Every structure is written in structure tokens, then in C-alpha cells.
Amino acid sequence: MHDLDIIKEIEKKVGCNLRYEVVKDRVRLLDLTSSNYIFQGLIRHHSHEEKQEILRLVSKLTDLHYLNLRRNRLFKTPDCLGNLVNLEYLDLGSNYLGKIPEWIKEIDDLKYLNVGVNELEELPLFMEKFSNLDSLLMHKNKVRVFPEEYSSFSKLRVLNMYFNAMKDIPDFVYDFAELRTFSWGISAI
């Protein structure tokens, strides 16, 4: 099945046209958020089973570099999304995941990750592999510890950590020489 056939199948299941970009017959960008309603994802009101079926189709778009799943009321994502090894931009913000999905470790070189507003309590150590991470948004969660292993994020320019349960800012954060935006805001400090 070709990428555009997959997009047509996803559009049929979603019930509307999607925002996507194609380069040489391969889908590189897919946005499942609504351009009409900024606080809603396109599959927000689908059943859990329908969402999983749509996401399994998305996992077949193996040349994706950009995937926006923000505000879709996702409680779980299928492991087959680990097929998207070329992702550089991943927005899972404002869902209800409870933890960062394990399949993310299959991505080769993630540069942007939004996991804000997901009821996260901890951050997985496997994310230390993303040494080219430019932006990490993890605001409005319940995270208590920013792992020392994340000191590998030397290219981090944006770090959004406000409204978490951390009691202090780890010393190594001050060594992020590229950091331009650091949001701590209201926390346990």
C-alpha cells in the first residue's frame, strides 16, 4: 500500500481531510489536530478501538518526520508506532498516556518531543539516547525527578517543566549551553 493510499484510508476513518505533506510520494508530515478547534484533536471523539486502528495505519507511514497527535484523548498508543524511526518531531501533548510510550526508543534521532499534560510521574531513561533533542515539553505532569542521564541533552534549546512535582532544578541543567527557554513556573520548589 502506498503512502497516499494509507492517507486516504485514515481520512475515511477520521471523517475529514488531514493536513499532511508529501515528498517524492512519501508522507513526511501528518497532523491529527484540528485547524478549526485549537483544543481538539481530530480523533478525540473516536472510540479507543478506532483510535488504535487509525494509529496502526499511521505506523505504516515509515518516512514520517513530523507527527502531531496532540489533544486526541489518547490513553494508550500501539507499539507499532515504533516503526516510525525517522520521526524528528513528535507531539503527544494533552493526552492521558500516564507514561512515555516505550516505542519511542525505536526512533533514531528525535529533535522535538511534547509530552506535556499526560499525567506522567516519571521519565524513562531510554530517552537519554536523543542527544540531538532541541525541545522537550513536559509541563503539567507529576514528574518528581529529571534524570541525570538527561545531561546528554547538550543541544536542548527549549525545556518546559512547569507544574511538575520536582523539588529542585538539577545542576546539570545549568550546563545546557544552547538552552534559550527554560520554563519552571509553579512547582514544589
Side-chain angles (χ1 to χ4, degrees):
M1 188 182 264
H2 297 292
D3 280 12
L4 291 177
D5 296 327
I6 294 169
I7 289 292
K8 286 178 186 165
E9 186 67 25
I10 295 170
E11 286 179 331
K12 189 164 58 169
K13 292 185 180 305
V14 171
C16 65
N17 292 330
L18 302 176
R19 187 169 83 86
Y20 61 93
E21 292 179 8
V22 178
V23 176
K24 297 181 181 177
D25 296 325
R26 303 295 291 192
V27 175
R28 296 290 178 97
L29 177 150
L30 179 60
D31 191 339
L32 289 178
T33 61
S34 173
S35 57
N36 296 328
Y37 306 102
I38 62 168
F39 296 110
Q40 291 188 19
L42 294 175
I43 61 174
R44 181 180 186 85
H45 298 293
H46 287 66
S47 71
H48 173 74
E49 293 76 22
E50 291 168 330
K51 290 175 187 178
Q52 296 305 300
E53 188 176 343
I54 290 165
L55 294 176
R56 281 191 291 276
L57 285 169
V58 169
S59 75
K60 295 178 181 181
L61 300 170
T62 56
D63 277 341
L64 270 182
H65 287 233
Y66 178 110
L67 178 60
N68 190 346
L69 297 173
R70 187 176 172 90
R71 293 190 172 109
N72 276 296
R73 293 184 53 90
L74 299 172
F75 294 87
K76 187 174 192 256
T77 55
D79 290 340
C80 59
L81 287 174
N83 295 339
L84 305 176
V85 297
N86 295 309
L87 280 179
E88 295 178 358
Y89 179 105
L90 178 59
D91 193 333
L92 293 170
S94 299
N95 285 294
Y96 299 90
L97 295 173
K99 66 178 190 168
I100 294 178
E102 194 78 15
W103 59 262
I104 290 176
K105 70 181 173 188
E106 303 303 325
I107 298 172
D108 290 335
D109 192 21
L110 197 59
K111 293 183 173 67
Y112 176 99
L113 179 61
N114 181 0
V115 290
V117 196
N118 266 297
E119 302 177 351
L120 305 177
E121 293 185 8
E122 61 183 18
L123 300 170
L125 297 183
F126 70 75
M127 285 191 15
E128 73 180 301
K129 77 177 249 185
F130 300 121
S131 59
N132 289 319
L133 195 65
D134 175 82
S135 300
L136 177 60
L137 288 71
M138 48 171 278
H139 56 288
K140 295 184 180 178
N141 282 300
K142 302 170 187 173
V143 175
R144 297 183 191 286
V145 176
F146 192 66
E148 189 169 335
E149 288 80 1
Y150 287 16
S151 63
S152 64
F153 298 161
S154 61
K155 295 181 181 175
L156 205 60
R157 297 177 57 80
V158 176
L159 179 57
N160 189 339
M161 301 168 67
Y162 73 90
F163 276 125
N164 272 287
M166 290 178 247
K167 294 193 187 316
D168 56 11
I169 301 169
D171 290 339
F172 66 85
V173 170
Y174 299 105
D175 294 330
F176 292 156
E178 301 295 319
L179 195 61
R180 298 294 175 258
T181 303
F182 177 60
S183 299
W184 184 270
I186 299 171
S187 68
I189 288 184

